[in-house]
Amino acid sequence: MTGGRWLLRAASLGAALLVWQGLTSLDVNVWLRFEQFPTVGEVAGAFAGRAGTGPFWQDLASSLRRIVTGFVLAAVLGVAVGTAIARSRIAADVLGPLLEVLRPVPAIALVPVAILLFPSNEQGIVFITCTAAFFPVLVSTRHAVGALTPVWEEAVLTMGGGRARILFSVVLPGALPGIFGGLSVGIGVAWICVISAEMISGEYGVGYRTWQDYTVIDYPGVFVGMVTIGALGWLTSTAVERAGRRLTRWLPARDSLGPVPSSAARTRTARGPGRSPRAPRPAPHPAPHPTSLPTSLPVAARAGATGPRSGSGALPEQTREVTP
């Protein structure tokens, strides 16, 4: 990424902070009420005060541990089940209907189920986080595997490869772009649900601390929790995207807005749609001058080299030499 793009992104965040500071410092109350909102300076002071305490880092570590554990489980299970459903009719008939019934249920609605099933709140929060990230990974893997062309598998079978070779050399590498798309969505949904679960039944964590600040009307503390959640979500999603780009280096080079066009594509775009490049015309070969021909050639050969005169036919072949 170029320095200009980094500067543009930093300017965007800075502009948002300036708008926030202006609305809260002026106590704007036009339909939206900002008089109760803390200013940017108050939130920054509260963040600096909490960053030097032990409970802040303990909450941070608890949330990260839960999100990593639940997300890793969801990734492994989602890729395995999605591949099985896409590759096996039996798995699609047995698991497909059950998963489609469970998929619309919000993961946060499973909090009572987690409380009844698991002996500790920690395990229940990990279960909710895993469930939230599982379905995006499952759906993306199923579609990515189902969209693969069978020509690749036939090529491996022709060379004597078995099912395991097809799975690990063709299916999974070919479906990696789609799988990482689901992982990027899953990590965001997992953060939403882990924070919600911590607010409901947690004892430690960023979500638990944010809810406690709200109950005691500590609004700067609430915004500190929100900023912390946003920063953690950004870091984890960036890590997933970077891992995806590293594992799919065989794909064409891309920037953040799409594929980078090749030089031929840029040439076609500049020329305009629907117009193919003109092939270069071959340079005409100059006809040799009659005086430059050797005198020992037959008359017919000399006449063919210089070309027949207009209105005259081809000269009969003569084999005698021309004496100067």
Side-chain angles (χ1 to χ4, degrees), residues 1-57:
M1 187 181 297
T2 61
R5 295 189 61 189
W6 279 112
L7 183 61
L8 181 60
R9 295 187 177 196
S12 173
L13 292 176
L17 292 177
L18 287 177
V19 172
W20 178 5
Q21 179 67 26
L23 292 175
T24 53
S25 60
L26 296 175
D27 294 334
V28 175
N29 189 2
V30 181
W31 186 56
L32 296 176
R33 299 172 297 176
F34 290 95
E35 66 269 11
Q36 298 294 332
F37 267 52
T39 63
V40 177
E42 294 173 349
V43 174
F47 183 83
R50 293 196 177 188
T53 61
F56 176 81
W57 297 104

Side-chain angles (χ1 to χ4, degrees), residues 60-266:
L60 203 68
S62 298
S63 296
L64 283 175
R65 183 179 64 251
R66 291 162 180 167
I67 199 74
V68 170
T69 305
F71 181 72
V72 170
L73 290 174
V76 173
L77 294 175
V79 172
V81 177
T83 303
I85 291 177
R87 302 279 299 173
S88 172
R89 292 183 179 179
I90 297 177
D93 293 338
V94 174
L95 299 177
L98 177 62
L99 294 174
E100 288 300 322
V101 170
L102 294 176
R103 186 160 66 96
V105 179
I108 198 62
L110 299 177
V111 170
V113 177
I115 294 174
L116 294 175
L117 284 178
F118 297 96
S120 67
N121 290 337
E122 186 73 17
Q123 297 174 357
I125 293 174
V126 172
F127 166 74
I128 293 171
T129 306
C130 176
T131 305
F134 169 75
F135 287 104
V137 179
L138 166 71
V139 174
S140 63
T141 302
R142 183 183 64 188
H143 287 293
V145 173
L148 294 177
T149 175
V151 176
W152 299 344
E153 300 182 24
E154 294 171 358
V156 175
L157 291 174
T158 303
M159 292 184 291
R163 291 185 177 181
R165 187 61 180 270
I166 291 175
L167 178 63
F168 292 104
S169 298
V170 175
V171 175
L172 292 180
L176 270 182
I179 292 174
F180 272 97
L183 291 175
S184 298
V185 176
I187 190 67
V189 178
W191 270 112
I192 294 173
C193 290
V194 73
I195 296 301
S196 302
E198 288 176 350
M199 288 182 176
I200 295 174
S201 62
E203 297 178 358
Y204 299 100
V206 180
Y208 169 79
R209 194 65 57 189
T210 303
W211 182 254
Q212 292 300 313
D213 291 333
Y214 174 74
T215 57
V216 297
I217 318 179
D218 183 7
Y219 294 126
V222 172
F223 277 83
V224 168
M226 295 171 60
V227 172
T228 305
I229 294 167
L232 292 175
W234 186 16
L235 290 176
T236 51
S237 62
T238 301
V240 171
E241 292 177 1
R242 287 184 177 274
R245 285 196 294 267
R246 182 173 293 274
L247 292 176
T248 57
R249 286 177 293 181
W250 45 270
L251 287 173
R254 290 175 176 268
D255 59 10
S256 61
L257 298 180
V260 177
S262 61
S263 58
R266 288 194 295 266

